[in-house]
Amino acid sequence: MNGFEKRAALIKDKILKTTLEMLKTLEPSNLRIADIAKTAQVSQVTIYNYFGGKEALIHEVVKNYIDSSISDFQKYMQQDGTVKEKIEKMILQDKEAYHTLSPFLINQLLTEDKELAEYVQKETNEKIIPSMIKLIEDGKENGEISEKVTTQAFLVFINFCLKHYQELVEMVNQENNTDLIESMHHIFFYGICGKEE
C-alpha cells in the first residue's frame, strides 16, 4: 500500500468509526452526511466519493461491526477454557454489543437492507453455528454438558437467551437490580433445581 492508499484507508476508517459512534445515539433517519462530515472533520464530497451515499455508508458500518464481532467470537471460542467460561464470554459480548448498536437497530437495518441480512445469515451459518456445535461436542466429551442435551436443543436455547438478553439488561437498568443477571446466569447453567458444584 503506497502513501496515498494508506491515507485514503485512514480517512475511510475515520468516517466509519465516526458514523458508528453517531449511530449509538441517533436513528439512521436522523443521521445526516453533513453532520458525519463535520464530526469526522472531512468534506461531504469525501464521504460521497468513498461510499456513494448515506445508505451505503451505514451498510458498510454495520457490515464492519458484524465482521469484527464474529472475529472476536471465533477467537475466544478457539481459546482454552471451559464451556461455562465461553458462554459467559458470549453473553458479555452480547451485553457490550447492546451498548454499541442496539439489537433493535440492527434488526431494523437488516429488515431494510436485504443484502446485509443475507450476508449476516451466511456468516452465521458458516462461522457461528459450526463454532457453537464444536462447543457442544467438546462440552459433552469432557462432561460439562449432559448427554441428554441435543445439539439442536442447545442452539435453540442459547439463541433464545441471547435474543432476549437486551430485555434483561433493560430490566436491570430500570429496576437497579444486578442480582437479576446473576440469578438468570444460574438458571442458564444449573437449571431451576440445579446446584453449583
Side-chain angles (χ1 to χ4, degrees):
M1 204 183 290
N2 62 35
F4 176 78
E5 291 169 334
K6 284 181 183 176
R7 185 173 177 277
L10 286 172
I11 292 170
K12 188 174 179 182
D13 188 56
K14 186 177 183 181
I15 294 166
L16 290 168
K17 286 179 178 174
T18 299
T19 306
L20 179 61
E21 281 300 311
M22 293 177 79
L23 280 171
K24 291 180 183 180
T25 56
L26 290 172
E27 289 288 321
S29 58
N30 296 329
L31 201 59
R32 298 181 328 129
I33 291 290
D35 297 329
I36 297 168
K38 183 178 179 182
T39 305
Q41 299 178 331
V42 298
S43 71
Q44 293 182 49
V45 173
T46 299
I47 294 176
Y48 285 111
N49 284 342
Y50 283 128
F51 300 100
K54 186 175 82 169
E55 287 73 22
L57 171 57
I58 291 173
H59 173 98
E60 190 73 18
V61 167
V62 176
K63 184 177 178 291
N64 284 357
Y65 174 74
I66 288 165
D67 287 345
S68 176
S69 297
I70 290 174
S71 177
D72 289 346
F73 170 80
Q74 287 186 301
K75 282 177 190 170
Y76 71 71
M77 290 296 274
Q78 290 167 1
Q79 293 172 356
D80 292 333
T82 66
V83 169
K84 182 181 176 185
E85 288 169 342
K86 289 180 179 181
I87 291 172
E88 284 178 336
K89 177 72 176 168
M90 193 186 320
I91 291 170
L92 177 64
Q93 184 188 28
D94 195 62
K95 183 179 177 182
E96 289 169 350
Y98 178 77
H99 293 292
T100 304
L101 287 183
S102 80
F104 302 113
L105 175 59
I106 290 178
N107 286 337
Q108 176 191 339
L109 293 171
L110 293 182
T111 301
E112 295 169 359
D113 188 335
K114 298 299 181 191
E115 182 185 329
L116 190 59
E118 288 172 8
Y119 176 77
V120 170
Q121 189 61 56
K122 175 178 171 289
E123 292 295 286
T124 298
N125 292 340
E126 293 179 2
K127 296 176 180 176
I128 294 178
I129 291 176
S131 295
M132 292 299 298
I133 290 170
K134 184 174 186 323
L135 176 72
I136 297 161
E137 290 170 351
D138 291 348
K140 284 186 174 185
E141 191 176 306
N142 63 29
E144 287 183 82
I145 296 177
S146 168
E147 286 296 327
K148 293 180 181 179
V149 176
T150 66
T151 300
Q152 182 184 12
F154 185 90
L155 290 172
V156 167
F157 185 72
I158 198 159
N159 188 46
F160 176 84
C161 290
L162 291 174
K163 278 188 175 178
H164 294 279
Y165 196 76
Q166 64 269 16
E167 294 170 28
L168 175 59
V169 171
E170 285 177 2
M171 288 170 62
V172 169
N173 289 339
Q174 288 171 2
E175 299 172 20
N176 197 23
N177 183 3
T178 53
D179 291 339
L180 182 58
I181 287 183
E182 291 301 317
S183 180
M184 293 300 292
H185 284 179
H186 181 91
I187 292 169
F188 180 88
F189 290 115
Y190 308 108
I192 58 173
C193 300
K195 294 181 180 177
E196 293 186 46
E197 297 177 0

